[in-house]
Amino acid sequence: MSPVPGGSRRTAALLLPAAAAAAHIAPAATWLPGPRALLFPGLAGTGRRRHIALTFDDGPDPVSTPRFLDALDGLGVQATFFLVGEHVVRHPAVVRETVRRGHELGVHGWRHDRPWHPAFVRDAEEIARTVRAVHDLTGHRPRWYRPPYGILTTGRWRAARRAGLRTVLWSAWGRDWTADATPESVRARVAADLRGGGTVLLHDSDRYSAPGCWHAALGALPALVRDCRRAGLEVGPLRAHGPAPAPAPGEAPAR
Ligand SMILES: [Zn+2]
């Protein structure tokens, strides 16, 4: 094969988009809860040792969210709900009721999409639009951002920062979005990764997952809260989570 003039330029042209795409998606490596908790305690939602932050994604949902609000009232627990902007404007009463019951609101994007391509301008506009929608409706300015599917890109992280939001993923999840999830499976899955200072991810809507799967998360709540309390852990929203304790000299970072 003879060298082709301009061949290296063509190779570079092929490689560049790949490199750009890699830079765009690289923070998604933080998706893995293990490395994330160890390397990025802030991103994993690591807080004070005696506290568990309880968080719900994908609402507001007029069918299922009120069931979660009632269950949480019964348990005496407040949580953080990460809302999808386009549903905030469709179901304002659910959003207001969530705040009225003392819960905290975060931003889960305007739409629940995957970031296939870098789109900083659109991301910034949509995150800011969701912040405005929540603020206009409730008078509260959200403080937290969690990207859809937990896929964090450089652009979305920067867009959230620009909107004054701190990005928080999670350290334990219930895998409550699958068709075969049960209250027992959700409780066991959360318990497997539950440590003081952790942030738990559940979903109060089945809009982006298997139909009806929210019943599993709802059913798991009483036992899950009981597990935490028996372990001497308080359950609450991210606003009560506090910063992760600084590791003592020679100690591994908090997990
Ligand atoms: Zn989601």
Side-chain angles (χ1 to χ4, degrees):
M1 192 175 138
S2 60
V4 181
S8 60
R9 209 177 305 142
R10 268 206 302 278
T11 308
L14 283 174
L15 286 176
L16 272 176
H24 157 67
I25 209 81
T30 58
W31 190 80
L32 297 166
R36 182 166 68 224
L38 205 57
L39 300 172
F40 307 98
L43 198 56
T46 307
R48 56 193 171 89
R49 283 186 218 273
R50 292 265 141 243
H51 192 260
I52 295 291
L54 182 60
T55 69
F56 295 91
D57 285 8
D58 295 357
D61 187 314
V63 175
S64 48
T65 304
R67 302 281 302 273
F68 283 83
L69 298 182
D70 289 345
L72 292 169
D73 271 359
L75 293 165
V77 167
Q78 292 178 338
T80 302
F81 288 78
F82 284 89
L83 307 182
V84 178
E86 64 179 346
H87 299 296
V88 167
V89 292
R90 280 180 200 144
H91 308 293
V94 182
V95 179
R96 284 200 200 96
E97 185 61 14
T98 305
V99 170
R100 199 186 68 75
R101 308 267 190 116
H103 303 290
E104 182 181 34
L105 306 181
V107 170
H108 197 37
W110 182 262
R111 294 168 297 143
H112 201 275
D113 60 344
R114 287 186 171 84
W116 296 121
H117 306 289
F120 175 73
V121 173
R122 199 193 68 193
D123 288 340
E125 207 290 311
E126 292 193 351
I127 289 173
R129 190 177 174 194
T130 309
V131 169
R132 274 198 309 276
V134 170
H135 184 251
D136 290 352
L137 206 58
T138 65
H140 292 273
R141 223 185 145 70
R143 288 168 56 195
W144 314 103
Y145 171 67
R146 178 177 289 155
Y149 305 102
I151 302 174
L152 183 61
T153 63
T154 315
R156 288 188 171 183
W157 180 79
R158 281 176 51 218
R161 241 172 82 118
R162 180 178 284 190
L165 305 176
R166 216 182 101 189
T167 300
V168 177
L169 299 176
W170 60 86
S171 59
W173 63 18
R175 294 193 73 85
D176 51 332
W177 60 85
T178 61
D180 58 354
T182 63
E184 294 72 31
S185 75
V186 171
R187 176 195 184 183
R189 195 67 201 77
V190 170
D193 288 325
L194 197 69
R195 292 175 186 85
T199 292
V200 173
L201 164 68
L202 295 173
H203 297 79
D204 62 312
S205 172
D206 58 3
R207 204 175 263 130
Y208 310 107
S209 43
C213 63
W214 58 268
H215 289 281
L218 183 70
L221 278 181
L224 203 152
V225 170
R226 202 167 48 238
D227 288 344
C228 291
R229 288 175 174 161
R230 277 189 187 148
L233 302 168
E234 201 190 318
V235 183
L238 279 166
R239 67 173 175 237
H241 206 35
E251 190 193 357
R255 291 196 63 180

PDB file of all heavy atoms in Angstrom, residues 57-59 82 84 108 112 146-150 201 203 208, ligand 1:
ATOM      1  N   ASP A  57     -36.346  10.021  41.357  1.00  0.00           N
ATOM      2  CA  ASP A  57     -36.231  10.620  40.024  1.00  0.00           C
ATOM      3  C   ASP A  57     -37.507  10.383  39.217  1.00  0.00           C
ATOM      4  O   ASP A  57     -38.284   9.468  39.503  1.00  0.00           O
ATOM      5  CB  ASP A  57     -35.079   9.950  39.245  1.00  0.00           C
ATOM      6  CG  ASP A  57     -33.705  10.407  39.733  1.00  0.00           C
ATOM      7  OD1 ASP A  57     -33.624  11.115  40.746  1.00  0.00           O
ATOM      8  OD2 ASP A  57     -32.714  10.027  39.080  1.00  0.00           O
ATOM      9  N   ASP A  58     -37.664  11.192  38.178  1.00  0.00           N
ATOM     10  CA  ASP A  58     -38.602  10.987  37.051  1.00  0.00           C
ATOM     11  C   ASP A  58     -40.003  11.571  37.229  1.00  0.00           C
ATOM     12  O   ASP A  58     -40.814  11.503  36.316  1.00  0.00           O
ATOM     13  CB  ASP A  58     -38.724   9.503  36.642  1.00  0.00           C
ATOM     14  CG  ASP A  58     -37.418   8.954  36.094  1.00  0.00           C
ATOM     15  OD1 ASP A  58     -36.447   9.730  35.988  1.00  0.00           O
ATOM     16  OD2 ASP A  58     -37.368   7.750  35.788  1.00  0.00           O
ATOM     17  N   GLY A  59     -40.338  12.107  38.407  1.00  0.00           N
ATOM     18  CA  GLY A  59     -41.642  12.754  38.560  1.00  0.00           C
ATOM     19  C   GLY A  59     -41.599  14.174  38.020  1.00  0.00           C
ATOM     20  O   GLY A  59     -40.588  14.574  37.433  1.00  0.00           O
ATOM     21  N   PHE A  82     -36.139  14.675  42.162  1.00  0.00           N
ATOM     22  CA  PHE A  82     -35.533  15.236  40.956  1.00  0.00           C
ATOM     23  C   PHE A  82     -36.583  15.221  39.838  1.00  0.00           C
ATOM     24  O   PHE A  82     -37.016  14.146  39.403  1.00  0.00           O
ATOM     25  CB  PHE A  82     -34.296  14.437  40.562  1.00  0.00           C
ATOM     26  CG  PHE A  82     -33.114  14.742  41.435  1.00  0.00           C
ATOM     27  CD1 PHE A  82     -32.891  14.035  42.605  1.00  0.00           C
ATOM     28  CD2 PHE A  82     -32.226  15.767  41.100  1.00  0.00           C
ATOM     29  CE1 PHE A  82     -31.806  14.330  43.429  1.00  0.00           C
ATOM     30  CE2 PHE A  82     -31.147  16.072  41.910  1.00  0.00           C
ATOM     31  CZ  PHE A  82     -30.934  15.354  43.079  1.00  0.00           C
ATOM     32  N   VAL A  84     -38.575  16.281  36.161  1.00  0.00           N
ATOM     33  CA  VAL A  84     -38.397  16.497  34.722  1.00  0.00           C
ATOM     34  C   VAL A  84     -39.225  17.729  34.343  1.00  0.00           C
ATOM     35  O   VAL A  84     -40.446  17.756  34.545  1.00  0.00           O
ATOM     36  CB  VAL A  84     -38.858  15.254  33.933  1.00  0.00           C
ATOM     37  CG1 VAL A  84     -38.720  15.494  32.429  1.00  0.00           C
ATOM     38  CG2 VAL A  84     -38.055  14.028  34.361  1.00  0.00           C
ATOM     39  N   HIS A 108     -33.951  17.286  37.032  1.00  0.00           N
ATOM     40  CA  HIS A 108     -33.564  16.053  36.328  1.00  0.00           C
ATOM     41  C   HIS A 108     -33.567  16.287  34.806  1.00  0.00           C
ATOM     42  O   HIS A 108     -33.674  15.343  34.042  1.00  0.00           O
ATOM     43  CB  HIS A 108     -34.566  14.958  36.710  1.00  0.00           C
ATOM     44  CG  HIS A 108     -34.120  13.550  36.430  1.00  0.00           C
ATOM     45  ND1 HIS A 108     -32.829  13.111  36.590  1.00  0.00           N
ATOM     46  CD2 HIS A 108     -34.813  12.458  35.999  1.00  0.00           C
ATOM     47  CE1 HIS A 108     -32.762  11.832  36.267  1.00  0.00           C
ATOM     48  NE2 HIS A 108     -33.946  11.411  35.894  1.00  0.00           N
ATOM     49  N   HIS A 112     -36.302  13.849  29.398  1.00  0.00           N
ATOM     50  CA  HIS A 112     -35.543  12.711  29.918  1.00  0.00           C
ATOM     51  C   HIS A 112     -34.821  12.043  28.752  1.00  0.00           C
ATOM     52  O   HIS A 112     -35.208  10.974  28.290  1.00  0.00           O
ATOM     53  CB  HIS A 112     -36.502  11.740  30.607  1.00  0.00           C
ATOM     54  CG  HIS A 112     -35.828  10.838  31.589  1.00  0.00           C
ATOM     55  ND1 HIS A 112     -35.226   9.661  31.215  1.00  0.00           N
ATOM     56  CD2 HIS A 112     -35.653  10.930  32.920  1.00  0.00           C
ATOM     57  CE1 HIS A 112     -34.732   9.075  32.291  1.00  0.00           C
ATOM     58  NE2 HIS A 112     -34.971   9.821  33.352  1.00  0.00           N
ATOM     59  N   ARG A 146     -29.417  16.193  38.689  1.00  0.00           N
ATOM     60  CA  ARG A 146     -29.043  14.801  38.382  1.00  0.00           C
ATOM     61  C   ARG A 146     -29.434  14.536  36.936  1.00  0.00           C
ATOM     62  O   ARG A 146     -30.606  14.649  36.582  1.00  0.00           O
ATOM     63  CB  ARG A 146     -29.760  13.832  39.320  1.00  0.00           C
ATOM     64  CG  ARG A 146     -29.435  12.375  39.003  1.00  0.00           C
ATOM     65  CD  ARG A 146     -30.111  11.432  39.989  1.00  0.00           C
ATOM     66  NE  ARG A 146     -29.518  11.497  41.306  1.00  0.00           N
ATOM     67  CZ  ARG A 146     -30.175  11.178  42.429  1.00  0.00           C
ATOM     68  NH1 ARG A 146     -31.427  10.797  42.373  1.00  0.00           N
ATOM     69  NH2 ARG A 146     -29.560  11.243  43.587  1.00  0.00           N
ATOM     70  N   PRO A 147     -28.476  14.196  36.081  1.00  0.00           N
ATOM     71  CA  PRO A 147     -28.809  13.999  34.665  1.00  0.00           C
ATOM     72  C   PRO A 147     -29.654  12.745  34.458  1.00  0.00           C
ATOM     73  O   PRO A 147     -29.543  11.781  35.227  1.00  0.00           O
ATOM     74  CB  PRO A 147     -27.433  13.843  34.007  1.00  0.00           C
ATOM     75  CG  PRO A 147     -26.538  13.362  35.099  1.00  0.00           C
ATOM     76  CD  PRO A 147     -27.062  13.943  36.378  1.00  0.00           C
ATOM     77  N   PRO A 148     -30.514  12.745  33.417  1.00  0.00           N
ATOM     78  CA  PRO A 148     -31.296  11.547  33.099  1.00  0.00           C
ATOM     79  C   PRO A 148     -30.378  10.340  32.906  1.00  0.00           C
ATOM     80  O   PRO A 148     -29.299  10.472  32.327  1.00  0.00           O
ATOM     81  CB  PRO A 148     -32.004  11.916  31.792  1.00  0.00           C
ATOM     82  CG  PRO A 148     -32.069  13.403  31.795  1.00  0.00           C
ATOM     83  CD  PRO A 148     -30.827  13.864  32.522  1.00  0.00           C
ATOM     84  N   TYR A 149     -30.798   9.207  33.384  1.00  0.00           N
ATOM     85  CA  TYR A 149     -30.041   7.942  33.314  1.00  0.00           C
ATOM     86  C   TYR A 149     -28.711   8.030  34.068  1.00  0.00           C
ATOM     87  O   TYR A 149     -27.882   7.122  33.964  1.00  0.00           O
ATOM     88  CB  TYR A 149     -29.784   7.512  31.861  1.00  0.00           C
ATOM     89  CG  TYR A 149     -31.047   7.405  31.051  1.00  0.00           C
ATOM     90  CD1 TYR A 149     -31.418   8.408  30.157  1.00  0.00           C
ATOM     91  CD2 TYR A 149     -31.911   6.321  31.219  1.00  0.00           C
ATOM     92  CE1 TYR A 149     -32.605   8.336  29.449  1.00  0.00           C
ATOM     93  CE2 TYR A 149     -33.095   6.243  30.509  1.00  0.00           C
ATOM     94  CZ  TYR A 149     -33.431   7.242  29.628  1.00  0.00           C
ATOM     95  OH  TYR A 149     -34.613   7.167  28.927  1.00  0.00           O
ATOM     96  N   GLY A 150     -28.495   9.115  34.793  1.00  0.00           N
ATOM     97  CA  GLY A 150     -27.225   9.266  35.508  1.00  0.00           C
ATOM     98  C   GLY A 150     -26.038   9.422  34.571  1.00  0.00           C
ATOM     99  O   GLY A 150     -24.898   9.263  34.989  1.00  0.00           O
ATOM    100  N   LEU A 201     -31.060   6.119  45.427  1.00  0.00           N
ATOM    101  CA  LEU A 201     -31.862   6.471  44.254  1.00  0.00           C
ATOM    102  C   LEU A 201     -33.038   5.507  44.102  1.00  0.00           C
ATOM    103  O   LEU A 201     -32.859   4.291  44.037  1.00  0.00           O
ATOM    104  CB  LEU A 201     -30.991   6.371  42.988  1.00  0.00           C
ATOM    105  CG  LEU A 201     -31.756   6.323  41.655  1.00  0.00           C
ATOM    106  CD1 LEU A 201     -32.453   7.637  41.361  1.00  0.00           C
ATOM    107  CD2 LEU A 201     -30.821   5.959  40.513  1.00  0.00           C
ATOM    108  N   HIS A 203     -37.343   5.671  42.189  1.00  0.00           N
ATOM    109  CA  HIS A 203     -38.130   6.389  41.181  1.00  0.00           C
ATOM    110  C   HIS A 203     -39.591   6.462  41.620  1.00  0.00           C
ATOM    111  O   HIS A 203     -40.154   5.440  42.014  1.00  0.00           O
ATOM    112  CB  HIS A 203     -38.020   5.683  39.832  1.00  0.00           C
ATOM    113  CG  HIS A 203     -36.619   5.675  39.292  1.00  0.00           C
ATOM    114  ND1 HIS A 203     -35.661   4.797  39.751  1.00  0.00           N
ATOM    115  CD2 HIS A 203     -36.007   6.461  38.380  1.00  0.00           C
ATOM    116  CE1 HIS A 203     -34.514   5.039  39.117  1.00  0.00           C
ATOM    117  NE2 HIS A 203     -34.697   6.049  38.280  1.00  0.00           N
ATOM    118  N   TYR A 208     -40.420   6.280  32.442  1.00  0.00           N
ATOM    119  CA  TYR A 208     -39.271   5.922  31.597  1.00  0.00           C
ATOM    120  C   TYR A 208     -38.798   4.501  31.897  1.00  0.00           C
ATOM    121  O   TYR A 208     -37.653   4.159  31.651  1.00  0.00           O
ATOM    122  CB  TYR A 208     -38.128   6.921  31.813  1.00  0.00           C
ATOM    123  CG  TYR A 208     -38.603   8.351  31.688  1.00  0.00           C
ATOM    124  CD1 TYR A 208     -38.733   9.155  32.814  1.00  0.00           C
ATOM    125  CD2 TYR A 208     -38.962   8.868  30.445  1.00  0.00           C
ATOM    126  CE1 TYR A 208     -39.206  10.448  32.709  1.00  0.00           C
ATOM    127  CE2 TYR A 208     -39.435  10.163  30.330  1.00  0.00           C
ATOM    128  CZ  TYR A 208     -39.558  10.948  31.471  1.00  0.00           C
ATOM    129  OH  TYR A 208     -40.035  12.231  31.362  1.00  0.00           O
TER     130      TYR A 208
HETATM  131 ZN    ZN B   1     -34.538   9.417  35.312  1.00  0.00          ZN
END
